[in-house]
């Protein structure tokens, strides 16, 4: 086939439910797609390789107050953005966000919820870095993974929170002892050996007797973690100049610390928690980790299937308007997306190919991948988070004169495809969609720029076919669609390719793999036949 616009039979083939199931159905079968209506939803995020990140960025040990305040600030912004999140608890590099019981947030689709929250949190982390570390450049890309915790009752939620705070206590006490021993001259191995098998009281004695530290006098944030919640405060408002101010209750996000966040006394002190999450009837003790893990079970994606992690910009129409993106295509914005995709492939070696258009990207993992043991929530969230983080970090590189007015946000999903042929069909479908959307948008925005209203432009384009749009562009605006930049028409393909080093006499001295960005026709066989490395990675024999 020489043209994308002669693909009518192919498009019909793609729409066959046998060949390519609807994305929503496929996603539902790939992971536990919907959270039960009567269950409480908690989204827990954890830093990816944050021990390494903290070393590279020289965080203070065992606790860096600025880093913890940065985490708290991000959590506060999450609660301010999403009204359905009522409460959050965090320590170290983790945070748990609790939704109100009756939430209908994105129809309770787990992949959508967990990816949106982790994407927004990660973008905030990068954006707010300078606020908390004004003298320190971020030296590596932060990312987080997330999962959904479904609590079938308020008692399970209470137990979950008690468990997380107990983990905060035990980890902080251990790390405080560990780093005091290391700072006193012990090696990390020696310090771990000294602490092996010690109980809580023994650690307290080590701190007090050897270092004069009373553990109970350490900052609350270190020992107890941080709670972020919404409460009602009385605010004085001036509505009219000629009338006296009035007092009204306003919801405000606050950060508090408590020795026992799962106690009745703490919970019942805040009416908003009881109202939106229910009250605790009794205190809980002796929560076992094994018990809580019963509520974290997650199916793994089918083995020996191609996994596509597809990410899409969240409310990117508004984002592009606020940041003044060129219509119908902003080349710098597309190059920023491509640069983020390159970074993702370099970070996640099991991704063999990626295809992107506009504000979406599809990442294809080798069918034999064991990334996160094929757990969909961690695969989706870690890739979405890394992409989101990179997008904010690279913004100035592509828009040096534009301020990022608010952080970008992406959602993601995982879809399994059983064969090499179907994964090829999927990619072809996305490229056909690229052509259809780009041709329509090019016509639409040329009409708008010529003086038509958006409604008039939509009316003129309604029901038009490919050839009619081509003629409209040529006759009205002297634009030959086929001469438009190929990045707009074909989208972008990102993949590992071999770079050959040749001597003067043509002998290969060295070859290595590198990530490249190209804009080929990926529907036809020619591209795949000339890039055997990808075929080897993607073929059923790999």
């Amino acid at each position: 086939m020489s043209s994308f616009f002669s693909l009518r039979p192919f498009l019909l083939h793609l729409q066959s439910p046998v060949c390519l199931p609807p994305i929503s159905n496929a996603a539902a079968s790939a992971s536990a797609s919907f959270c039960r209506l009567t269950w409480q939803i908690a989204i827990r995020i954890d830093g990816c390789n944050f021990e390494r990140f903290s070393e590279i960025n020289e965080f203070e040990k065992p606790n860096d107050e600025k880093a913890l305040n940065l985490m708290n600030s991000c959590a506060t912004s999450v609660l301010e953005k999403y009204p359905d999140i009522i409460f959050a608890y965090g320590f170290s590099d983790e945070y748990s966000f609790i939704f109100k019981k009756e939430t209908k947030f994105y129809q309770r689709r787990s992949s959508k919820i967990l990816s949106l929250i982790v994407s927004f949190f990660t973008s905030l982390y990068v954006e707010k870095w300078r606020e908390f570390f004004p003298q320190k450049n971020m030296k590596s890309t932060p990312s987080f993974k997330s999962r959904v915790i479904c609590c079938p009752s308020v008692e399970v939620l209470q137990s979950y929170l008690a468990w997380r705070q107990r983990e905060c206590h035990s980890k902080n006490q251990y790390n405080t002892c560990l780093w005091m021993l290391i700072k006193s001259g012990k090696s990390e191995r020696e310090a771990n050996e000294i602490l092996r098998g010690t109980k809580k009281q023994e650690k307290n004695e080590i701190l007090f007797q050897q270092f004069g530290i009373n553990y109970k006098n350490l900052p609350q944030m270190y020992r107890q973690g941080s709670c972020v919640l919404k409460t009602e405060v009385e605010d004085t408002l001036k509505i009219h100049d000629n009338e006296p101010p009035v007092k009204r209750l306003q919801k405000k996000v606050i950060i508090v610390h408590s020795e026992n966040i799962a106690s009745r006394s703490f919970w019942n002190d805040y009416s908003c928690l009881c109202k939106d999450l229910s009250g605790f009837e009794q205190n809980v003790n002796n929560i076992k980790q094994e018990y809580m893990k019963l509520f974290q079970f997650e199916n793994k994606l089918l083995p020996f299937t191609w996994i596509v992690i597809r990410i899409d910009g969240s409310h990117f129409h508004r984002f592009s308007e606020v940041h003044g993106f060129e219509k119908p295509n902003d080349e710098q914005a597309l190059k920023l997306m491509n640069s983020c995709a390159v970074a993702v492939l370099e970070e996640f070696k099991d991704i063999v190919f990626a295809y992107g258009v506009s504000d979406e990207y599809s990442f294809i993992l080798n069918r034999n991948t064991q990334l996160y043991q094929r757990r969909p929530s961690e695969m989706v969230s870690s890739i979405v988070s890394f992409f989101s983080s990179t997008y904010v970090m690279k913004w100035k590189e592509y828009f040096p004169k534009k301020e990022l007015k608010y952080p970008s946000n992406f959602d993601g999903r995982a879809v399994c495809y059983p064969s090499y042929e179907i994964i090829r069909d999927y990619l072809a479908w996305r490229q056909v969609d690229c052509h259809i959307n780009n041709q329509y948008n090019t016509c639409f925005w040329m009409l708008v720029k010529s003086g038509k209203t958006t409604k008039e432009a939509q009316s003129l384009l309604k029901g038009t076919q490919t050839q009619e749009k081509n003629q409209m562009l040529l006759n009205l605006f002297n634009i030959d669609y086929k001469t438009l930049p190929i990045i707009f028409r074909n989208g972008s393909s990102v993949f590992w390719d071999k770079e050959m080093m040749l001597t003067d006499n043509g002998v290969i001295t060295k070859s290595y793999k590198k990530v490249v960005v190209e804009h080929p026709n990926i529907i036809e066989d020619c591209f795949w036949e000339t890039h055997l490395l990808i075929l080897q990675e993607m073929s059923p024999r790999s």
Side-chain angles (χ1 to χ4, degrees), residues 137-150:
N137 290 326
M138 186 181 285
K139 297 178 182 178
S140 62
T141 305
S143 64
F144 299 82
K145 57 186 176 182
S146 61
R147 71 188 81 172
V148 175
I149 312 293
C150 287

Side-chain angles (χ1 to χ4, degrees), residues 50-163:
F50 246 62
E51 184 175 351
R52 174 66 176 155
F53 179 84
S54 65
E55 288 179 2
I56 293 173
N57 289 284
E58 300 174 341
F59 283 3
E60 182 67 27
K61 301 294 184 179
N63 291 288
D64 190 303
E65 186 175 2
K66 291 179 181 178
L68 294 174
N69 285 332
L70 170 56
M71 292 285 291
N72 292 344
S73 179
C74 294
T76 299
S77 295
V78 170
L79 263 73
E80 289 171 343
K81 180 177 176 66
Y82 298 109
D84 280 13
I85 299 178
I86 304 302
F87 180 80
Y89 174 73
F91 66 95
S92 185
D93 63 344
E94 81 165 60
Y95 243 102
S96 296
F97 297 94
I98 315 300
F99 284 77
K100 65 181 182 182
K101 188 174 182 179
E102 304 301 329
T103 182
K104 299 294 193 300
F105 187 64
Y106 283 102
Q107 295 77 51
R108 300 174 71 93
R109 286 178 285 168
S110 58
S111 184
K112 187 93 170 179
I113 297 172
L114 69 87
S115 58
L116 276 173
I117 299 303
V118 78
S119 173
F120 188 59
F121 189 95
T122 310
S123 296
L124 287 167
Y125 193 92
V126 177
E127 184 193 42
K128 290 174 177 281
W129 176 269
R130 280 290 182 191
E131 180 182 339
F132 293 89
F133 295 100
Q135 307 300 324
K136 188 183 290 187
N137 290 326
M138 186 181 285
K139 297 178 182 178
S140 62
T141 305
S143 64
F144 299 82
K145 57 186 176 182
S146 61
R147 71 188 81 172
V148 175
I149 312 293
C150 287
C151 302
S153 67
V154 70
E155 290 78 19
V156 174
L157 173 62
Q158 183 183 20
S159 298
Y160 172 77
L161 293 173
W163 170 47

Side-chain angles (χ1 to χ4, degrees), residues 65 68-73 75-76 87-92 95 165 168-169 218-229 254-263 265-267 269-270 273:
E65 186 175 2
L68 294 174
N69 285 332
L70 170 56
M71 292 285 291
N72 292 344
S73 179
T76 299
F87 180 80
Y89 174 73
F91 66 95
S92 185
Y95 243 102
Q165 189 167 46
C168 170
H169 277 290
L218 293 178
Q220 285 181 301
M221 181 166 61
Y222 301 167
R223 296 180 290 110
Q224 300 169 358
S226 300
C227 301
V228 185
L229 55 91
I254 61 172
I255 299 173
V256 297
H257 307 283
S258 172
E259 188 174 353
N260 187 353
I261 64 171
S263 67
S265 58
F266 171 77
W267 209 252
D269 278 347
Y270 298 98
L273 298 181

Side-chain angles (χ1 to χ4, degrees), residues 411-460:
D411 64 71
R413 73 196 84 171
V415 188
C416 292
Y417 292 103
S419 71
Y420 169 70
E421 291 75 20
I422 294 181
I423 203 67
R424 284 279 308 274
D425 286 350
Y426 170 83
L427 290 169
W429 170 48
R430 298 318 305 141
Q431 190 165 57
V432 169
D433 214 40
C434 167
H435 274 277
I436 293 171
N437 291 333
N438 183 66
Q439 190 188 42
Y440 181 95
N441 289 334
T442 302
C443 291
F444 175 83
W445 284 105
M446 290 307 300
L447 288 168
V448 170
K449 290 176 181 180
S450 71
K452 302 292 184 184
T453 65
T454 56
K455 189 174 182 179
E456 289 171 336
Q458 289 169 349
S459 180
L460 285 170

Side-chain angles (χ1 to χ4, degrees), residues 178 181-194:
L178 176 73
L181 288 167
I182 291 173
K183 290 177 181 180
S184 71
K186 302 292 184 184
S187 68
E188 186 172 347
R189 183 176 180 180
E190 289 172 333
N192 279 311
E193 190 63 33
I194 291 171

Side-chain angles (χ1 to χ4, degrees), residues 13 22 45 94 134 141 190 197 203 236 256 276 289 291 313 367 375 390 395 409 413 422 442 470 528:
H13 171 61
I45 70 169
E94 81 165 60
T141 305
E190 289 172 333
K203 294 186 184 75
T236 303
V256 297
D276 293 316
Q289 184 175 348
Y291 169 72
R367 70 190 187 97
R375 292 191 294 269
T390 307
W395 176 268
N409 203 8
R413 73 196 84 171
I422 294 181
T442 302
N470 281 342
W528 304 101

Side-chain angles (χ1 to χ4, degrees), residues 40-53:
Q40 203 92 46
I41 298 174
I43 301 295
R44 176 176 156 191
I45 70 169
D46 295 89
C48 293
N49 299 319
F50 246 62
E51 184 175 351
R52 174 66 176 155
F53 179 84

